[in-house]
Amino acid sequence: MAAFSVARRSRGLINGLKVSFRSSGQLKHGAVAAPLLQTSLHRDSRWYSAGHLSVKERIEAKRRAALAGGGQARIDAQHKRGKLTARERIDLLLDTDSFVETDMFVEHRCSDFGMEQDKNKVTHLPEVIFYFFNIIFCLCLFCFSQDFTVFGGSLSGAHAQKICKIMDQAMKVGAPVIGLNDSGGARIQEGVESLAGYADIFLRNVMASGVIPQISLIMGPCAGGAVYSPALTDFTFMVKDTSYLFITGPDVVKSVTNEDVTQEELGGAKTHTSVSGVAHHAFENDVDALLNLREFFTFLPLSNQDPAPIRECHDPSDRLVRSLETIVPLESTKAYDMLEIIKAIVDEKDFFEIMPNYAKNIVVGFARMNGRTVGIVGNQPKVASGCLDINSSVKGARFVRFCDAFNIPIITFVDVPGFLPGTAQEYGGIIRHGAKLLFAFAEATVPKITIITRKAYGGAYDVMSSKHLRGDVNYAWPTAEVAVMGAKGAVQIIFRGKDNQAEAEAEYVEKFANPFPAAVRGFVDDIIEPSTTRKLICSNLEVLARKKQVNPWKKHANIPL
Amino acid sequence: WGGLEVPLGGRVGKQSCCFRVKNVLVKLMINLLICFSSQTFDKILIANRGEIACRVIKTCKKMGIQTVAVHSDVDSSAVHVKMADEAVCVGSAPTSKSYLNMDAIMDAIRVTGAQAVHPGYGFLSENKDFAKRLAAEGVTFIGPDTHAILAMGDKIESKLIAKAAKVNTIPGFDGVVKTAEEAVKIAQDIGYPVMIKASAGGGGKGMRIAWNDEETREGFRFSSQEAESSFGDDRLLIEKYIDNPRHIEIQVLADKHGNALWLNERECSIQRRNQKVVEEAPSTFLDQDTRQAMGEQAVQLAKAVQYSSAGTVEFLVDSKKNFYFLEMNTRLQVEHPITECITGLDLVEQMIRVAKGYRLQHKQEDIPINGWAIESRIYAEDPYKSFGLPSIGRLSEYQEPLNLKNVSVRVDSGIEEGSDISIYYDPMISKLVTYGATRGEALARMEDALDNYVIRGVTHNISLLREIITHPRFISGDISTNFLPEVYPDGFKGHQLEAGKRRELLASAAALYVTVQLRSQKVLSPTPVERSHWELCVQLGEGCYAVEVVKSGNVYNVEVDGGTVEVSGQWNLASPLLPLSINGTQRMLQVNANTYTHNLGFFGVLSKLAAQLNSYMPEKVPEDTSSILRSPMPGTVVAMSVKPGDTVAEGQEICVIEAMKMQNSLTAVKQAKVKSVQCKPGETVGEGDLLVELE
């Protein structure tokens, strides 16, 4: 708390200094001048002994050095790589002048391998990261930003300590943590202290999971043990072309498995957002990423104690969406774009899709209904007919659990022909992975609204937030078909070896390819006109905001991992 | 009397609930009398789709006639189907299998018992076989008699008839062409430039202009192919091409008793690729004498072929007001609404009456020119690509400018929000017609209406239309059919902002950005602190402009580009239309982005800091477009002229894409070896799909 209040008091000072920092940025000599001054300080007074500089002057000198990061040369190098400095990122991410920095005076404690000299020579004072108590759109959060210009952003014991401190603060007040990662990895010179630092962060990531939203934005390299902190957070975003995530880099890969692979192929943004599913979104560059992160942040509640946020809404909640009347094609085999349905229904077509390039047969993301944040899950008929497979089940499950943890209502759009058959899926464990999505929907106690737009076949019908899994409101469009399977397959089983299959198929379609069988049993609450969907969801959410449902006490559930 | 019993009964039955009130009864009787006086048909089938089908159905409803729509399977929930009393599916999506499928349409007539057929324009409207088959079954064709269609449908014969009827015809007019070499010889005889087109084709379809032998050969090949695919008739016509002409046409209306009227002219000179874009009535160019001379010749021609129904005689008019007969369209024209606006006649109603055998209700001296009407054709096409290449898609948002609450705006459309603009049919979205006491008033209303037109989901040509109607040359009436290529020799590049307008745009963008940013703070829990002073950068084209905004209430004082602009407005950010006042002038702003967020710097607006830092961001390397050929529009590959390993010269044709019946030749932009071919003839390709890779 002490560091906190010091920082607060000196806020004016920071602002005053910013001006001098900027001018020194323009005059290259300014940067040279500062270290000279500090060197002389160091010669005379090893640590905090009284010297010829007053304490006030020393504070100023240290602050100036901290603001200069790794020095102008390294800042230029960072810019040349198309990356911003830690401070520039913070400036962009947060509301103007809204942040309060802590721990500006913390230093690393290593003196091996010439680190001491290095510390004195290059930067003298600052540790490698900055902590802030900050504000985005007047919402508070905690945030750290690793500075690649100082020791390559490598993680020292002190560095880790700063991150842990900020996370503890965040947990205390119940506010999200955003990490801007740009780090070469562990500070090898510090040895086990650095490893301990990682573990300390991991533990806090785990403790904070489900309590406060945690977001990682990877803005540079992130390798080795460092990758597990982003992996433990709720969302991992990456910057295209300048960020990498991998356990071991291309050189080690080459020596162990003899594979030739570039950094970009191994762990670039494209790989992780389309192949591995490790990252949730990739942005064009630092500026794009930070501005988008600001927008994304407005969807989230501050902690699991807060309800889903409600923003001022200009889109009428009773708006009829006429374009939906024709969106589902007449032929049930023809594809359409579920995103069009989602965008037409939510406020102002504003849909923040999570993992848009991974397991595209399911669409997940955040939107608002009458201003209130909702999580949207939808099968995507455009890709693989919208079937559920291993990747889409895992993608959906993780998203549903996030929403449930943070009181965000879930709206599910169903058009699913079933689970994807095949040896690849069975060997890969579709049973186990499919169960995750089933588990996540069943366990969720937030308001759950389901709309069956077309197919809801077989076990996949059960999984997709059905009435049977405590769906609060389940609607079907007139085009809905709730059945065990499609007509052709069903008839082949029921009438195996008989000739009147075409006739039987027609009968099956007549009986089952419509919403009635589900509606007469009360498995769907109503068959609605598509154009009224938005209106109904909005009014249902209003009522369901009062929903209180508690699962039986348990230490924790045992989701099939 | 006997023949009238059925429709009378129908009406009485429908309104029987009103009999309780006496004066309603009286009204009804008057209604019935009117009905009786011009009793026509009980049920009409409309053998068309889209806006024209809807247009015809509207008049039928007004006249108390039941309507039958025909449609292809993909059109089963189209607007014209919903509007009609009955609908029959006549086949699958391709027009040859549905709207041109005469067998199915004849079946539909039999099943529904329709007494007459209105063909609209295009499709079967000028098909003599269809008219014959209808006549054979005793069904009335709402249009001219078969012999008139026959006479005027053939470009060559029609000119001979016109000549005989003492109508001015184009010099150098000649006969049928069979081979490319014959085409070249004819062209040389006439003298370049010449125009080549399909004999059977109407409008600008299949029409190409050649300035030398090489272009004549190419024009011959394309025109004959198009003629074949569109009309199943590969005969061609070559004639002297009049440079700098105006396209002015005369609407005629004739009955079966030898009476004919001319309903004034329509100026249709604004064309792209020989298809009309903006039309107006009357023309700024004609004086009363020329108008009368043209009108009288048009009527002479109509009488010469015993024309009945509505028809259009097209003329080319040169700069000295000499006019030459071009062709006669024996159907209702797309642009007929502007004639209706200035004359007060309902042409569809007149056609129906004439088809029933009634005499014309009007005399020539009854036909007025009241005010001025302008029509803009709203197309789903990209105006930045040769003034409009077809675009397809789903209308995710669609709002006609009827919010103007102005009776002088008429929108003829056959689509609604959620409709598909498909590759199968014409990409026209609607016809936007404005009317005013003067041309200036009509133009001002058009500008307003275009600004208030909301179309999302497909690329549309509103930007081009707005540019045309506000262009000084158009406003002064100095136009010809070459207007677009002359005014935009390098193609349409969008509106070029002058400094004042640019400042206004920058200021509006900045003000809107501030509103969006402040709205993001309006989350229920904390109390937002409204920042009133903003330093921003607005990116517009290549430039980046520093902007300072001071907000007080709903007024934004924006310092930009060396001037101050006051923007005020209170916006509903969910609405596609954002009305604002700029320095006291009312303007309408539309934001085309799908959403206000998730784009780098909404609207090109960034905070000053973000703009500063953005300069450090690496530029993404764009794709090298010289070595790849992508489809410029969705369509079908009809020919592939190269195979992998071939060497192509710069400008050599690589393949031909057909979209909306237009064939487009795609050429190489450099000399290179063909690396790979990614499509086959007959394949459907989307916009931007890779067709051929060069090395």
Side-chain angles (χ1 to χ4, degrees):
Chain A
M1 232 14 233
F4 191 73
S5 54
V6 166
R8 243 190 201 297
R9 260 190 280 122
S10 56
R11 198 170 146 189
L13 194 61
I14 300 174
N15 294 340
L17 280 169
K18 247 189 204 160
V19 180
S20 64
F21 163 63
R22 283 204 182 132
S23 58
S24 79
Q26 284 150 4
L27 294 172
K28 290 246 155 119
H29 302 294
V32 180
L36 275 180
L37 180 75
Q38 287 146 15
T39 315
S40 66
L41 159 79
H42 178 70
R43 199 187 304 125
D44 297 339
S45 52
R46 171 107 190 135
W47 282 106
Y48 293 111
S49 62
H52 63 272
L53 288 175
S54 72
V55 170
K56 198 178 165 196
E57 279 167 327
R58 277 168 49 196
I59 291 172
E60 262 184 48
K62 284 205 170 205
R63 281 197 190 282
R64 191 156 51 228
L67 291 169
Q72 194 57 44
R74 293 184 189 194
I75 291 174
D76 289 345
Q78 181 84 346
H79 285 160
K80 213 161 267 159
R81 281 187 213 107
K83 289 157 61 174
L84 300 178
T85 66
R87 275 177 197 285
E88 286 167 343
R89 286 169 178 163
I90 292 289
D91 281 347
L92 207 49
L93 177 65
L94 306 170
D95 290 355
T96 311
D97 294 336
S98 72
F99 55 87
V100 177
E101 183 167 351
T102 68
D103 282 352
M104 203 185 237
F105 296 95
V106 172
E107 301 180 20
H108 72 73
R109 299 176 292 268
C110 176
S111 55
D112 296 323
F113 301 109
M115 286 293 281
E116 193 184 342
Q117 284 84 355
D118 203 30
K119 174 172 72 177
N120 298 332
K121 200 165 61 202
V122 182
T123 58
H124 180 69
L125 171 98
E127 235 320 308
V128 283
I129 48 171
F130 310 105
Y131 295 141
F132 305 89
F133 162 75
N134 325 279
I135 291 170
I136 289 182
F137 290 128
C138 299
L139 296 166
C140 73
L141 76 151
F142 290 79
C143 164
F144 65 86
S145 174
Q146 295 178 317
D147 191 345
F148 195 76
T149 67
V150 181
F151 300 126
S154 60
L155 188 118
S156 67
H159 180 149
Q161 185 199 334
K162 285 175 82 173
I163 296 180
C164 293
K165 192 165 163 189
I166 214 74
M167 289 183 69
D168 292 341
Q169 291 275 25
M171 286 286 277
K172 255 187 272 172
V173 300
V177 172
I178 294 181
L180 307 181
N181 300 55
D182 190 358
S183 161
R187 175 98 35 100
I188 300 168
Q189 295 92 330
E190 286 198 12
V192 73
E193 188 167 353
S194 170
L195 294 184
Y198 275 128
D200 289 343
I201 298 169
F202 297 158
L203 177 67
R204 279 164 180 82
N205 283 140
V206 173
M207 289 301 108
S209 182
V211 181
I212 51 173
Q214 301 179 78
I215 303 166
S216 300
L217 177 53
I218 317 298
M219 309 188 82
C222 183
V227 299
Y228 283 110
S229 176
L232 291 168
T233 58
D234 297 303
F235 294 101
T236 304
F237 297 132
M238 293 181 79
V239 179
K240 285 182 192 166
D241 304 326
T242 51
S243 71
Y244 309 100
L245 271 171
F246 34 66
I247 299 285
T248 52
D251 296 341
V252 180
V253 169
K254 174 74 180 167
S255 68
V256 175
T257 67
N258 204 28
E259 286 172 288
D260 278 311
V261 64
T262 63
Q263 275 198 353
E264 183 63 35
E265 285 164 5
L266 186 63
K270 196 171 172 199
T271 303
H272 285 313
T273 51
S274 61
V275 181
S276 72
V278 166
H280 296 86
H281 217 302
F283 300 107
E284 289 306 317
N285 55 44
D286 280 14
V287 175
D288 184 40
L290 292 163
L291 294 181
N292 270 291
L293 188 52
R294 277 176 72 84
E295 293 300 332
F296 174 71
F297 188 75
T298 62
F299 285 105
L300 306 181
L302 297 185
S303 75
N304 63 355
Q305 300 300 311
D306 295 289
I310 301 175
R311 193 181 74 174
E312 180 181 287
C313 174
H314 291 185
D315 206 351
S317 63
D318 58 354
R319 171 168 61 90
L320 293 181
V321 193
R322 299 197 194 282
S323 70
L324 295 182
E325 298 290 347
T326 52
I327 192 147
V328 177
L330 302 168
E331 308 94 311
S332 74
T333 49
K334 209 171 155 196
Y336 60 93
D337 191 353
M338 188 58 88
L339 276 173
E340 275 199 54
I341 293 186
I342 295 169
K343 286 187 178 166
I345 287 177
V346 302
D347 288 359
E348 298 168 28
K349 302 190 176 60
D350 189 2
F351 179 57
F352 194 104
E353 193 176 352
I354 299 294
M355 300 173 104
N357 293 316
Y358 179 77
K360 292 198 242 180
N361 40 351
I362 199 163
V363 174
V364 301
F366 296 103
R368 294 184 181 85
M369 294 297 283
N370 202 15
R372 180 186 272 112
T373 298
V374 293
I376 306 252
V377 180
N379 306 112
Q380 173 59 285
K382 233 174 77 173
V383 181
S385 304
C387 71
L388 289 175
D389 57 7
I390 294 171
N391 291 346
S392 61
S393 300
V394 174
K395 173 180 167 183
R398 180 146 174 85
F399 181 75
V400 167
R401 294 196 97 209
F402 175 84
C403 293
D404 188 41
F406 292 100
N407 313 317
I408 298 170
I410 301 164
I411 297 168
T412 310
F413 293 94
V414 184
D415 186 349
V416 63
F419 282 97
L420 182 65
T423 51
Q425 291 291 314
E426 296 292 357
Y427 296 172
I430 179 69
I431 297 175
R432 184 160 49 90
H433 296 295
K436 290 177 184 171
L437 185 58
L438 171 62
F439 197 109
F441 270 124
E443 154 193 67
T445 54
V446 290
K448 289 186 285 191
I449 299 176
T450 309
I451 295 97
I452 301 173
T453 60
R454 192 167 63 180
K455 290 171 213 158
Y457 287 166
Y461 153 72
D462 285 335
V463 171
M464 292 305 292
S465 195
S466 62
K467 199 79 194 163
H468 324 288
L469 301 184
R470 305 191 293 184
D472 293 305
V473 183
N474 294 58
Y475 290 126
W477 283 5
T479 42
E481 308 167 13
V482 184
V484 175
M485 57 173 71
K488 201 162 184 179
V491 168
Q492 272 169 6
I493 293 169
I494 304 171
F495 298 95
R496 189 176 303 227
K498 304 217 173 100
D499 344 317
N500 57 341
Q501 297 219 341
E503 204 179 297
E505 210 176 301
E507 193 189 336
Y508 187 92
V509 167
E510 175 68 27
K511 271 211 169 113
F512 295 114
N514 57 59
F516 296 117
V520 295
R521 289 166 179 82
F523 299 158
V524 298
D525 298 301
D526 200 359
I527 302 171
I528 60 169
E529 286 305 316
S531 60
T532 61
T533 311
R534 173 177 164 83
K535 188 175 146 184
L536 289 167
I537 293 176
C538 284
S539 64
N540 283 322
L541 283 174
E542 218 48 62
V543 176
L544 289 170
R546 303 172 59 82
K547 176 183 176 184
K548 281 197 178 60
Q549 189 168 36
V550 182
N551 289 333
W553 186 91
K554 55 188 97 177
K555 187 172 173 198
H556 62 70
N558 188 14
I559 188 165
L561 292 173
Chain B
W1 277 94
L4 296 174
E5 269 170 18
V6 177
L8 279 172
R11 275 195 84 86
V12 172
K14 250 188 187 172
Q15 306 208 356
S16 59
C17 56
C18 304
F19 271 83
R20 264 171 278 159
V21 188
K22 205 180 170 188
N23 61 349
V24 171
L25 180 66
V26 173
K27 255 192 195 163
L28 185 67
M29 290 309 289
I30 294 166
N31 243 340
L32 288 174
L33 280 171
I34 294 166
C35 200
F36 157 71
S37 69
S38 59
Q39 181 55 48
T40 52
F41 303 100
D42 303 329
K43 195 188 268 187
I44 289 178
L45 180 140
I46 297 101
N48 214 306
R49 66 181 297 284
E51 67 90 11
I52 193 62
C54 298
R55 157 77 190 86
V56 174
I57 292 170
K58 266 181 207 156
T59 291
C60 289
K61 288 200 163 162
K62 189 179 80 181
M63 296 172 74
I65 300 168
Q66 296 233 313
T67 50
V68 181
V70 292
H71 62 90
S72 64
D73 53 4
V74 294
D75 269 348
S76 55
S77 52
V79 180
H80 75 280
V81 174
K82 288 184 198 160
M83 276 177 76
D85 299 309
E86 289 171 71
V88 182
C89 181
V90 289
S92 55
T95 51
S96 58
K97 299 220 169 80
S98 48
Y99 296 103
L100 291 173
N101 182 349
M102 280 189 243
D103 292 335
I105 292 173
M106 294 309 295
D107 283 345
I109 294 167
R110 273 176 230 123
V111 169
T112 57
Q115 297 162 339
V117 171
H118 196 297
Y121 53 75
F123 295 135
L124 299 169
S125 61
E126 291 170 291
N127 187 310
K128 53 186 190 293
D129 299 332
F130 183 58
K132 266 185 204 154
R133 283 182 71 167
L134 290 177
E137 302 223 0
V139 178
T140 310
F141 178 73
I142 302 175
D145 291 334
T146 321
H147 62 88
I149 300 176
L150 201 60
M152 293 293 109
D154 188 301
K155 299 289 167 295
I156 297 158
E157 199 190 330
S158 71
K159 295 212 168 159
L160 296 174
I161 295 171
K163 234 179 208 169
K166 300 208 165 52
V167 176
N168 306 350
T169 54
I170 297 181
F173 166 65
D174 212 327
V176 178
V177 190
K178 291 205 174 64
T179 68
E181 288 321 303
E182 195 185 334
V184 169
K185 193 175 164 295
I186 294 168
Q188 284 168 349
D189 289 348
I190 298 169
Y192 287 108
V194 295
M195 186 189 75
I196 305 170
K197 69 185 288 186
S199 294
K205 275 179 183 162
M207 181 153 117
R208 269 156 216 277
I209 293 150
W211 297 79
N212 54 44
D213 294 355
E214 189 46 41
E215 286 178 11
T216 307
R217 281 189 201 100
E218 197 185 333
F220 171 79
R221 196 156 50 85
F222 271 107
S223 299
S224 53
Q225 270 172 21
E226 261 179 25
E228 178 74 49
S229 72
S230 296
F231 312 106
D233 176 355
D234 60 354
R235 286 179 310 148
L236 294 183
L237 169 71
I238 304 178
E239 63 185 21
K240 175 81 178 171
Y241 172 63
I242 296 173
D243 213 6
N244 233 24
R246 282 169 180 263
H247 178 124
I248 298 176
E249 60 192 25
I250 300 286
Q251 175 73 53
V252 294
L253 181 64
D255 64 18
K256 294 180 196 262
H257 306 279
N259 303 309
L261 297 171
W262 49 276
L263 308 181
N264 300 314
E265 79 281 10
R266 291 188 290 259
E267 164 75 76
C268 311
S269 295
I270 306 291
Q271 306 184 347
R272 50 113 182 79
R273 297 196 310 273
N274 292 311
Q275 280 186 285
K276 298 159 193 165
V277 191
V278 175
E279 297 106 336
E280 62 182 309
S283 166
T284 53
F285 189 60
L286 296 192
D287 49 49
Q288 190 52 37
D289 291 345
T290 318
R291 177 176 294 127
Q292 184 146 359
M294 287 171 77
E296 280 166 5
Q297 286 197 7
V299 164
Q300 281 164 32
L301 180 63
K303 286 185 175 165
V305 290
Q306 288 106 52
Y307 197 85
S308 66
S309 191
T312 300
V313 181
E314 296 188 343
F315 291 99
L316 280 185
V317 183
D318 70 14
S319 50
K320 297 182 187 67
K321 295 202 175 92
N322 296 314
F323 57 91
Y324 306 102
F325 170 71
L326 199 58
E327 63 183 32
M328 180 167 187
N329 294 318
T330 57
R331 54 170 158 84
L332 191 64
Q333 293 276 94
V334 176
E335 60 274 21
H336 73 274
I338 50 175
T339 298
E340 297 185 327
C341 281
I342 60 161
T343 59
L345 263 63
D346 180 335
L347 286 174
V348 173
E349 183 184 348
Q350 298 303 322
M351 285 174 86
I352 294 171
R353 288 187 75 256
V354 166
K356 184 68 185 175
Y358 288 103
R359 286 169 183 276
L360 292 179
Q361 291 169 310
H362 305 86
K363 298 210 165 54
Q364 188 61 51
E365 55 269 27
D366 301 338
I367 306 302
I369 298 184
N370 279 335
W372 213 285
I374 317 259
E375 177 183 275
S376 293
R377 296 198 193 181
I378 316 286
Y379 278 104
E381 59 183 23
D382 184 349
Y384 300 97
K385 293 182 186 163
S386 46
F387 301 116
L389 284 189
S391 137
I392 54 167
R394 200 165 168 278
L395 289 166
S396 56
E397 205 167 355
Y398 182 76
Q399 202 175 302
E400 292 175 353
L402 301 170
N403 57 331
L404 295 177
K405 299 205 168 47
N406 194 330
V407 284
S408 305
V409 177
R410 165 174 169 180
V411 185
D412 279 20
S413 66
I415 44 104
E416 60 189 346
E417 197 163 288
S419 291
D420 255 321
I421 307 286
S422 73
I423 58 166
Y424 300 111
Y425 312 115
D426 192 74
M428 192 163 80
I429 295 172
S430 77
K431 302 183 305 203
L432 176 61
V433 180
T434 57
Y435 174 68
T438 63
R439 186 166 185 260
E441 201 173 276
L443 280 175
R445 280 177 187 160
M446 179 59 79
E447 202 178 322
D448 250 9
L450 288 171
D451 286 349
N452 281 275
Y453 212 131
V454 179
I455 302 170
R456 301 284 185 277
V458 295
T459 316
H460 56 77
N461 66 338
I462 285 181
S463 56
L464 176 63
L465 293 169
R466 195 185 189 286
E467 199 64 11
I468 293 170
I469 60 138
T470 53
H471 195 279
R473 263 190 68 181
F474 181 84
I475 291 171
S476 70
D478 171 24
I479 54 173
S480 76
T481 53
N482 301 326
F483 178 83
L484 288 177
E486 274 171 22
V487 173
Y488 310 102
D490 304 320
F492 178 58
K493 301 263 188 273
H495 184 67
Q496 302 305 311
L497 287 167
E498 36 95 12
K501 281 275 171 349
R502 185 180 62 211
R503 205 175 294 137
E504 290 183 4
L505 183 64
L506 293 170
S508 318
L512 201 51
Y513 173 84
V514 169
T515 312
V516 171
Q517 291 290 309
L518 288 176
R519 197 270 300 260
S520 288
Q521 293 186 353
K522 291 183 183 151
V523 181
L524 278 191
S525 38
T527 327
V529 190
E530 274 223 353
R531 225 170 100 201
S532 60
H533 182 250
W534 299 70
E535 283 183 49
L536 305 170
C537 276
V538 188
Q539 287 168 320
L540 183 65
E542 297 294 304
C544 190
Y545 301 85
V547 174
E548 268 188 67
V549 185
V550 177
K551 177 180 190 284
S552 55
N554 291 325
V555 180
Y556 303 78
N557 274 297
V558 187
E559 202 141 314
V560 52
D561 221 8
T564 307
V565 180
E566 190 192 277
V567 180
S568 62
Q570 193 172 10
W571 299 301
N572 179 332
L573 295 173
S575 163
L577 293 172
L578 304 166
L580 42 80
S581 143
I582 301 176
N583 292 335
T585 315
Q586 289 300 317
R587 300 244 180 239
M588 185 60 79
L589 190 70
Q590 289 199 32
V591 179
N592 278 315
N594 284 333
T595 144
Y596 287 115
T597 53
H598 312 164
N599 289 318
L600 175 58
F602 143 77
F603 220 47
V605 187
L606 291 170
S607 68
K608 197 175 163 190
L609 176 75
Q612 224 167 13
L613 297 178
N614 206 29
S615 64
Y616 294 128
M617 294 297 106
E619 256 183 54
K620 300 280 165 177
V621 185
E623 195 175 45
D624 177 14
T625 49
S626 66
S627 55
I628 48 167
L629 184 70
R630 291 185 182 280
S631 177
M633 73 216 127
T636 316
V637 181
V638 289
M640 175 58 69
S641 319
V642 297
K643 54 184 188 301
D646 287 0
T647 303
V648 291
E650 188 184 327
Q652 187 181 334
E653 178 187 291
I654 290 180
C655 67
V656 179
I657 303 278
E658 185 180 286
M660 278 84 174
K661 291 191 193 156
M662 276 292 299
Q663 296 208 339
N664 301 275
S665 167
L666 305 181
T667 55
V669 292
K670 64 171 187 188
Q671 183 181 341
K673 206 165 163 192
V674 177
K675 192 169 159 196
S676 68
V677 173
Q678 307 282 358
C679 62
K680 297 191 289 286
E683 215 170 278
T684 309
V685 291
E687 183 177 338
D689 280 6
L690 184 62
L691 303 174
V692 171
E693 265 185 296
L694 302 177
E695 271 175 9

